[in-house]
Amino acid sequence: MAVAKEMMGCSSFVSSSKVFLNSTYGFQQKQNRFLFVKPVWVPMEQKRRVHLRKAAKVPVVAAISEDLIKAKAKAVPAQKEKAVEFKVTATITIRNKNKEDFKETLVKHFDAFTDMIGRNVVLELISTEEDPKTMAPKRSKEAVLKDWSKKANVKAEKVYYTAEFTVDSNFGVPGAITVTNKHQKEFFLESITIEDFAYGPLHFPCNSWVQSNKHHPGKRIFFTNQPYLPDQTPKGLRALREKELDDLRGNGKGVRKLSDRVYDFDVYNDLGNPDKGIDYARPMLGGEKVPYPRRCRTGRGPSETDMEAESRVEKPLPIYVPRDEQFEESKQNAFSAGRLRAVLHNLLPQLKASISAHNRDLNSFSDIDGLYKEGLLLKLGFHETVKKLPKMVSKLQESSEGLLKYETPKVVSKDKFAWLRDDEFGRQALAGVNPVNIERLASFPPVSKLDPEIYGPQESALKEEHIAGQLNGMTIQQALDENKLFMVDYHDIYLPFLDRINALDGRKSYATRTIFFLTPSGTLKPVAIELSLPHTSPNSRSKRVVTPPVDATTNWIWQLAKAHVCSNDAGVHQLVNHWLRTHACMEPFILAAHRQLSAMHPIFKLLDPHMRYTLEINALARQSLISADGVIENCFTPGRYCMEMSAAAYWSHWRFDKEGLPADLIRRGIAVPDPTQPHGLKLLIEDYPYASDGLLIWNALENWVRTYVNRYYPNSSLVCNDRELQQWYHESVHVGHADLSKESWWPSLKTTDDLVSILTTLIWLASAQHAALNFGQYPYGGYVPNRPPLMRRLIPDENDLEYANFLADPQKYFLSALPSLLQATKFMAVVDTLSTHSPDEEYLGERQHPSIWSGDAEIVEAFFGFSAEIRRIEKEIEKRNADPNLKNRCGAGVLPYELLAPSSGPGVTCRGVPNSVSI
């Protein structure tokens, strides 16, 4: 050991692996053998700092031949040295709340007083080594966090404290710290750093609420930032690693307290409230009857009238998620200040009786324009009324225009009438807020996959004569052969629900199919829209085809048909592509990660920023958005059947192996494999902004993940033998997605390539896919005629009584088919909030503590390379948006496609790719 110390300069470990940079921004590890050397104490005045070097330049530490060390060890007889005690100082960073209520302030001062008499915060340092006598981890003497009472009134966002540990020179490498909070009040522990060991500073990323020992007995465990696979865990940390995971799993029993840190699974049996009446009852989602992903368990008891339905927690009471998953203060403030809460929870209940009489139709397009110029209150004549309301909404007096006057949505900011044009209708299928349903038409006419015994003939009503003259001189077969025909098909997902939807008050819908022709300029031209209703009898006219207009009457019919397509599109976008695919289907993987992967596990460290806030936003959605009579049911055509439609899509369409971007593009026939192309794919629509920008991000993610995975799994046997990793994936599939767990399409997890694919898909869904589907909701949907979330009238034909009214005033009929004024504003309030970036957003290529989130310097350096690649992609997207040849993102009045541009400021920006599903 003496020789090793001499040659190492007291470095903490020696690696016999040789490391080389690869062509991307990572490295390849040739061997996976590490030789640990016990650190020694060096007095502070003699200590020589050892800093990590940048990975791209020199190896992590000096490589020493193991044979050489063994030979030297034989030559120098071992001498038993007496252990010397010495002290090391820890810096503890605690994040303050900016705002505290009276009770919190009172408890804080009480804690400051009791801290002085011994009820304080106690820390203990734990070594990676075991004590050979007790076979337990080596521990320091307990240390008290200093000066808590003196700093109780410090108003800074972060407050720095110190603690002094006493250890001996045989202590070894510290691997964990335990924290005991003897105060009454919880505190947010951001990090702990220890400077006084000879081999450099030790970092303990914490980012966790530490509860009072009174309410949560036991010590909290925090590990250093050094990653360890389970089998590589130092002996001194093995028991702690298991204990921490046991604590996070809980026992599956009891009602969860808001201060708990327990992650568990449950079905969606909390969306309805049968205690309020049959109209508020909803079916349980999850199980054999209605398959669905699992959500976070709260443990609440059953409702009084239905033992299978969990009792509800209504606003403003909070709903349980593990304490560390709750919004941080700045995020909570941004969310609370949104129009969603201001309008729905403060203003409308006060004005309900009066406003209900004003729940009128939109009389003209100027009514909609007035929402951006005058505001809702002026439009309804309630501006003075607000001033007389109680103090609860008195703030609206000062800024009723600010709260109820909407920003002009981007879709009409450049060209007020662009939404009426067919080319814009087609462009939004490629570059709008829902660009993931367009598919290549493989054969004509399209055929339904629904059971003909239940839903009628599978054949489409589309005929050759409907589109033959609109294909730029091509025959239909030529257009098919040359990949010029595309389709957005909502027939099969809507038709099974139409009887029930159309029986609802104020809801009317078709099951639509839209056929597009790819023009020589690269834009999509709609050539036919098929509108289907339920098949009621062999002679019933349940299908109708509408083609581009030839006169004034057919122009209005065409506009109504496009509005019904957009309404279908808005429902599928929100219920399937957005909520189901990026929110609900991610939750099981997040729950399982916290339950099965230690914070020390390298894969947990990789996934951590991509799981932020998702459980909280999903819980809030269950409480207010997707619940019975919630915002989604009120705003979208399917009404009370919204979540059943989402569940039907999960059972019939969702496949994890097709959720990655390349696989999805191939499934939809939009791309074909081509090894000569940069991403291994050839897009059949070259100017497809979502796909072309998405592939840049997918490729960067895949390279980063591959670099990361190869660092810790140089061969596939390590993947197979990693019990935490295997348990995580098994639980994600067999518990979190239990209803589909027997499907053969689930990817296996046996090789490094399997792991890279699974992780890249998850990170893609949490970041870029969610961003593409979420942050354009207000910019495109905030102008309701462009994307009406619901329709209230069908299209009349010559035999309908309403046909005469339609002919007399087609604009009035069109507007009466759209949502009412208050339905529109409620929807605008929702999508405005959902489209907003909070000030604490973390974007792709960013991390908290970017230099120390991992103790592996090679990986930190590789992450900086990934960040640089993300910045390069952003510049490439800017370049594309300025290219006049790309007409789906550049042109007179055309919106640039920025939904996959990685960075953004706060607010509604129609750009930015956060790391996680955080809104």
Side-chain angles (χ1 to χ4, degrees):
M1 282 299 178
V3 176
K5 294 171 190 174
E6 181 183 35
M7 298 177 70
M8 286 290 297
C10 300
S11 185
S12 60
F13 68 88
V14 183
S15 171
S16 62
S17 62
K18 294 183 179 180
V19 178
F20 303 93
L21 286 178
N22 69 16
S23 58
T24 310
Y25 38 73
F27 48 81
Q28 296 174 343
Q29 181 177 299
K30 299 301 182 183
Q31 301 177 40
N32 193 42
R33 294 182 297 145
F34 294 93
L35 175 64
F36 287 87
V37 179
K38 182 186 296 185
V40 295
W41 168 67
V42 179
M44 282 296 295
E45 63 273 13
Q46 299 176 17
K47 187 176 70 173
R48 179 167 55 88
R49 296 272 185 197
V50 179
H51 293 282
L52 289 174
R53 57 75 189 119
K54 292 186 176 181
K57 295 180 179 178
V58 295
V60 181
V61 290
I64 303 175
S65 164
E66 295 179 38
D67 295 334
L68 177 60
I69 291 178
K70 290 176 182 177
K72 292 288 184 181
K74 290 179 182 178
V76 181
Q79 295 181 0
K80 189 174 181 180
E81 299 176 3
K82 185 178 180 180
V84 178
E85 284 195 346
F86 64 103
K87 294 183 177 181
V88 294
T89 301
T91 301
I92 298 98
T93 304
I94 291 177
R95 191 182 305 164
N96 268 343
K97 278 189 173 183
N98 292 321
K99 297 179 181 178
E100 293 179 332
D101 59 29
F102 176 75
K103 181 180 178 181
E104 288 176 322
T105 303
L106 194 65
V107 174
K108 182 177 76 173
H109 288 297
F110 180 74
D111 283 340
F113 171 73
T114 58
D115 189 84
M116 293 187 291
I117 58 174
R119 289 178 56 182
N120 38 36
V121 177
V122 178
L123 301 91
E124 190 176 29
L125 196 59
I126 299 175
S127 173
T128 55
E129 299 180 7
E130 286 183 340
D131 187 321
K133 295 179 180 178
T134 63
M135 302 305 292
K138 295 179 181 178
R139 296 173 180 266
S140 71
K141 295 178 181 178
E142 289 188 342
V144 173
L145 191 144
K146 296 180 179 180
D147 298 331
W148 185 280
S149 57
K150 291 182 181 179
K151 298 182 179 181
N153 293 318
V154 173
K155 301 298 183 183
E157 179 186 0
K158 296 179 182 180
V159 183
Y160 302 95
Y161 300 88
T162 60
E164 198 171 71
F165 297 100
T166 300
V167 297
D168 63 44
S169 53
N170 292 326
F171 186 76
V173 181
I177 287 179
T178 63
V179 180
T180 304
N181 178 12
K182 296 182 181 180
H183 293 163
Q184 297 289 311
K185 187 172 178 282
E186 66 177 7
F187 61 84
F188 189 84
L189 179 58
E190 184 173 289
S191 64
I192 301 173
T193 302
I194 299 177
E195 295 278 356
D196 295 331
F197 283 95
Y199 37 83
L202 287 168
H203 300 285
F204 297 77
C206 303
N207 295 309
S208 180
W209 290 95
V210 180
Q211 301 299 323
S212 167
N213 196 242
K214 176 181 177 182
H215 304 297
H216 290 265
K219 300 177 179 180
R220 284 295 311 277
I221 304 166
F222 297 100
F223 299 104
T224 66
N225 59 356
Q226 186 64 40
Y228 295 105
L229 294 178
D231 289 345
Q232 297 170 352
T233 310
K235 289 183 178 181
L237 303 181
R238 289 175 186 173
L240 292 176
R241 184 171 186 146
E242 291 301 323
K243 183 183 184 306
E244 175 70 356
L245 287 174
D246 285 342
D247 290 344
L248 292 170
R249 293 183 193 118
N251 60 11
K253 300 177 182 178
V255 180
R256 297 269 64 90
K257 298 179 293 185
L258 292 175
S259 56
D260 285 346
R261 296 170 57 247
V262 175
Y263 298 77
D264 206 352
F265 298 92
D266 208 344
V267 294
Y268 281 73
N269 61 348
D270 63 339
L271 301 182
N273 191 352
D275 293 346
K276 290 178 66 175
I278 189 65
D279 289 341
Y280 293 89
R282 295 293 181 270
M284 180 178 75
L285 306 185
E288 292 184 3
K289 291 183 180 179
V290 188
Y292 212 62
R294 300 301 187 258
R295 48 91 174 179
C296 184
R297 178 184 178 276
T298 68
R300 296 194 306 270
S303 65
E304 293 180 2
T305 55
D306 184 349
M307 294 301 292
E308 289 190 351
E310 187 171 275
S311 56
R312 291 279 301 169
V313 173
E314 304 291 357
K315 285 293 182 186
L317 296 176
I319 188 171
Y320 171 78
V321 293
R323 182 65 180 101
D324 291 340
E325 303 301 319
Q326 295 170 29
F327 288 163
E328 293 179 15
E329 192 173 12
S330 60
K331 173 75 171 180
Q332 184 63 52
N333 291 340
F335 189 80
S336 299
R339 290 190 179 95
L340 178 63
R341 196 164 293 186
V343 175
L344 300 185
H345 297 298
N346 291 341
L347 179 65
L348 294 186
Q350 295 290 322
L351 300 178
K352 185 176 181 180
S354 300
I355 287 183
S356 60
H358 294 261
N359 190 13
R360 57 176 174 81
D361 293 343
L362 296 162
N363 290 327
S364 66
F365 287 104
S366 62
D367 274 358
I368 303 170
D369 296 340
L371 294 173
Y372 314 117
K373 296 176 182 177
E374 302 167 10
L376 174 62
L377 296 185
L378 287 177
K379 181 58 61 181
L380 294 174
F382 283 121
H383 187 64
E384 294 300 319
T385 307
V386 172
K387 296 180 180 179
K388 302 174 184 178
L389 290 176
K391 288 183 179 180
M392 185 178 79
V393 289
S394 62
K395 291 182 180 179
L396 295 178
Q397 296 180 45
E398 305 165 9
S399 58
S400 61
E401 290 187 3
L403 281 172
L404 297 173
K405 178 180 172 184
Y406 296 88
E407 295 291 330
T408 301
K410 282 198 172 186
V411 72
V412 289
S413 63
K414 286 189 171 186
D415 184 346
K416 186 176 179 180
F417 303 105
W419 66 277
L420 286 165
R421 298 199 315 265
D422 285 357
D423 65 289
E424 177 64 14
F425 178 71
R427 190 191 74 83
Q428 289 187 32
L430 300 172
V433 70
N434 188 39
V436 298
N437 280 104
I438 188 77
E439 59 183 294
R440 182 174 61 87
L441 188 61
S443 61
F444 186 88
V447 177
S448 170
K449 296 178 182 178
L450 296 175
D451 185 347
E453 295 292 325
I454 302 174
Y455 301 107
Q458 295 177 320
E459 291 75 19
S460 168
L462 287 161
K463 305 295 181 185
E464 188 169 342
E465 57 264 27
H466 289 129
I467 65 172
Q470 305 180 63
L471 306 182
N472 205 33
M474 291 183 177
T475 66
I476 290 179
Q477 192 57 50
Q478 285 176 319
L480 290 171
D481 292 343
E482 296 185 25
N483 301 317
K484 299 296 183 183
L485 289 178
F486 296 85
M487 174 176 64
V488 173
D489 186 358
Y490 297 130
H491 179 277
D492 287 5
I493 191 168
Y494 268 90
L495 194 65
F497 293 92
L498 282 187
D499 274 332
R500 288 175 284 171
I501 290 172
N502 289 338
L504 296 171
D505 185 34
R507 298 287 206 282
K508 289 294 181 283
S509 181
Y510 298 98
T512 67
R513 282 193 186 104
T514 307
I515 308 299
F516 294 93
F517 175 69
L518 182 62
T519 68
S521 63
T523 60
L524 290 180
K525 179 176 74 172
V527 294
I529 295 172
E530 181 181 22
L531 307 170
S532 297
L533 291 170
H535 182 75
T536 56
S537 67
N539 297 320
S540 66
R541 186 169 176 263
S542 60
K543 298 179 188 292
R544 176 178 183 179
V545 176
V546 180
T547 54
V550 294
D551 55 32
T553 301
T554 54
N555 177 67
W556 280 105
I557 290 175
W558 179 246
Q559 295 300 338
L560 280 165
K562 289 196 297 182
H564 273 282
V565 171
C566 289
S567 177
N568 271 196
D569 188 77
V572 171
H573 162 259
Q574 195 67 265
L575 303 171
V576 180
N577 297 331
H578 179 209
W579 165 256
L580 173 67
R581 293 173 64 184
T582 67
H583 283 260
C585 287
M586 277 294 295
E587 186 157 347
F589 291 96
I590 294 171
L591 290 169
H594 285 281
R595 288 166 52 84
Q596 303 298 343
L597 296 176
S598 166
M600 288 190 285
H601 199 291
I603 300 305
F604 185 90
K605 291 181 180 293
L606 174 68
L607 290 176
D608 189 32
H610 306 291
M611 303 188 290
R612 187 182 189 218
Y613 292 152
T614 304
L615 297 186
E616 169 83 339
I617 198 64
N618 286 3
L620 291 171
R622 298 201 316 273
Q623 189 174 41
S624 301
L625 294 181
I626 63 174
S627 55
D629 200 36
V631 173
I632 298 299
E633 288 192 1
N634 278 300
C635 290
F636 289 87
T637 294
R640 64 176 294 153
Y641 306 108
C642 279
M643 292 308 293
E644 290 182 62
M645 182 179 287
S646 179
Y650 176 68
W651 174 249
S652 61
H653 290 93
W654 187 82
R655 287 181 53 162
F656 181 76
D657 64 324
K658 302 297 183 184
E659 287 297 283
L661 180 60
D664 178 55
L665 294 172
I666 292 171
R667 170 176 60 176
R668 293 189 280 123
I670 296 292
V672 294
D674 185 346
T676 66
Q677 297 295 314
H679 310 293
L681 293 177
K682 178 184 178 183
L683 291 174
L684 300 183
I685 303 175
E686 291 184 13
D687 183 13
Y688 183 1
Y690 159 78
S692 55
D693 292 0
L695 285 171
L696 292 176
I697 292 179
W698 174 272
N699 194 52
L701 286 173
E702 188 176 47
N703 285 337
W704 158 235
V705 172
R706 190 174 300 281
T707 296
Y708 194 95
V709 166
N710 286 343
R711 169 64 167 164
Y712 300 105
Y713 301 94
N715 61 72
S716 294
S717 66
L718 291 170
V719 172
C720 294
N721 295 326
D722 185 337
R723 62 183 183 279
E724 285 186 5
L725 184 71
Q726 294 296 330
Q727 286 166 357
W728 162 68
Y729 188 58
H730 183 273
E731 188 171 70
S732 298
V733 174
H734 292 274
V735 180
H737 288 278
D739 305 327
L740 298 182
S741 62
K742 295 180 181 178
E743 297 295 329
S744 60
W745 43 255
W746 280 103
S748 61
L749 182 51
K750 297 178 180 178
T751 68
T752 52
D753 285 343
D754 293 340
L755 181 56
V756 169
S757 176
I758 291 167
L759 294 174
T760 305
T761 298
L762 289 173
I763 296 173
W764 161 260
L765 290 171
S767 57
Q769 180 78 325
H770 178 259
L773 295 167
N774 184 74
F775 293 103
Q777 289 190 82
Y778 184 80
Y780 281 97
Y783 189 75
V784 169
N786 180 58
R787 283 179 62 78
L790 63 85
M791 294 292 285
R792 297 187 294 156
R793 289 191 176 191
L794 298 175
I795 302 174
D797 62 24
E798 293 86 344
N799 300 318
D800 294 330
L801 295 176
E802 290 187 321
Y803 192 70
N805 295 330
F806 164 71
L807 290 178
D809 194 340
Q811 177 176 294
K812 181 178 180 181
Y813 189 93
F814 179 86
L815 291 170
S816 70
L818 298 181
S820 70
L821 182 60
L822 278 173
Q823 285 174 326
T825 55
K826 180 183 284 191
F827 172 73
M828 291 162 65
V830 173
V831 296
D832 178 75
T833 299
L834 297 181
S835 304
T836 300
H837 291 293
S838 66
D840 71 337
E841 201 87 87
E842 291 177 9
Y843 298 95
L844 205 60
E846 299 176 350
R847 287 195 70 130
Q848 290 184 4
H849 313 299
S851 298
I852 59 170
W853 63 272
S854 173
D856 188 333
E858 295 283 354
I859 282 297
V860 170
E861 189 72 14
F863 179 75
F864 285 131
F866 167 66
S867 299
E869 177 65 9
I870 293 297
R871 292 193 295 272
R872 189 197 68 77
I873 288 171
E874 183 152 355
K875 292 180 181 178
E876 175 62 24
I877 290 173
E878 291 173 3
K879 180 180 176 183
R880 292 175 176 183
N881 284 330
D883 186 347
N885 295 315
L886 302 177
K887 300 186 183 302
N888 290 317
R889 61 198 306 162
C890 183
V894 175
L895 289 185
Y897 187 71
E898 296 180 311
L899 286 169
L900 289 176
S903 70
S904 174
V908 179
T909 63
C910 201
R911 62 175 293 142
V913 181
N915 277 324
S916 63
V917 178
S918 59
I919 188 66

